[in-house]
Amino acid sequence: MAEAERIIGTPDTPDAAGDGQERPDAEQEQAAPERPRGKRRIAVLFAVAAFAYLLDLVSKMIVVAELEHQEPIEIFGDWLRFVAIRNAGAAFGFGEAFTVIFTVIAAIVIVVIARLARKLYSLPWAIALGMLLGGALGNLTDRIFRSPGVFEGAVVDFIAPKHFAVFNLADSAIVCGGILIVILSFRGLDPDGTIHKD
């Protein structure tokens, strides 16, 4: 009888020991859905960045080819005009004496965003960082490739609202991304998708 109980009980014994072996598999199953979600967020970040960058690049090419050294184009009378100018300063024409510094800052922003992308699980953060990245790349391209020289190039601006500084689409992407980041921070949403309350 004891022999029969030992034989019958044998299958149960590995199950108890098997709990320790199955636990990693269960943890892997729980962790597996997180990986594609993270990849999707990174894809969104770079898709938004690419769209913002290409839109800015194409708009500047058109402005340089068609609008530079020409009369301003009135879109809504004096309230909004398109006029081509070269800006050696930061966004909206500030700090023209620090072109190289702004170039370095833009490069640092790009590196920081690229590193942060590895921990990105939030869709709103992906959109915000994508706009920042695309805008920074757009203006950095001007800094590197436009005259008067490498890292000292003047950015092409052309959107001129009345009583406001002239700017471009890269500046708009940077400002919109920054505003979205402030909103997300106030709401307690972190880039990794967690929500905290102070």
Side-chain angles (χ1 to χ4, degrees), residues 52-62 138 141-142 146 169:
Y53 175 72
L54 291 175
L55 194 62
D56 177 69
L57 184 64
V58 170
S59 67
K60 288 174 179 175
M61 292 174 62
I62 295 173
T141 299
D142 284 356
R146 296 194 186 278
L169 295 181

Side-chain angles (χ1 to χ4, degrees), residues 22-64:
E22 292 177 0
R23 213 167 281 133
D25 294 336
E27 291 176 356
Q28 290 176 1
E29 289 177 1
Q30 292 177 356
E34 298 296 330
R35 292 172 185 167
R37 186 179 70 162
K39 291 180 180 179
R40 284 199 297 269
R41 300 305 184 260
I42 294 174
V44 169
L45 186 156
F46 288 113
V48 171
F51 178 77
Y53 175 72
L54 291 175
L55 194 62
D56 177 69
L57 184 64
V58 170
S59 67
K60 288 174 179 175
M61 292 174 62
I62 295 173
V63 167
V64 171

Side-chain angles (χ1 to χ4, degrees), residues 43-191:
V44 169
L45 186 156
F46 288 113
V48 171
F51 178 77
Y53 175 72
L54 291 175
L55 194 62
D56 177 69
L57 184 64
V58 170
S59 67
K60 288 174 179 175
M61 292 174 62
I62 295 173
V63 167
V64 171
E66 302 294 336
L67 192 56
E68 202 164 38
H69 308 302
Q70 303 294 328
E71 291 295 322
I73 298 176
E74 294 185 351
I75 306 302
F76 295 108
D78 292 337
W79 291 99
L80 179 62
R81 300 185 302 165
F82 286 167
V83 53
I85 68 167
R86 298 293 183 112
N87 172 22
F92 307 112
F94 298 115
E96 294 187 5
F98 304 98
T99 305
V100 176
I101 295 176
F102 293 130
T103 304
V104 173
I105 292 174
I108 292 173
V109 168
I110 292 170
V111 172
V112 170
I113 292 173
R115 290 177 62 86
L116 186 59
R118 295 180 299 177
K119 301 179 180 179
L120 188 62
Y121 283 83
S122 168
L123 180 60
W125 269 96
I127 295 172
L129 292 176
M131 288 190 288
L132 279 180
L133 180 59
L137 285 172
N139 284 338
L140 184 61
T141 299
D142 284 356
R143 303 288 187 198
I144 295 174
F145 295 106
R146 296 194 186 278
S147 59
V150 178
F151 300 121
E152 297 181 353
V155 174
V156 175
D157 290 335
F158 62 94
I159 305 172
K162 189 175 182 179
H163 305 310
F164 197 72
V166 184
F167 60 96
N168 56 43
L169 295 181
D171 296 332
S172 301
I174 292 170
V175 171
C176 291
I179 292 173
L180 182 54
I181 286 175
V182 171
I183 294 173
L184 295 174
S185 299
F186 271 113
R187 297 188 64 179
L189 179 62
D190 291 334

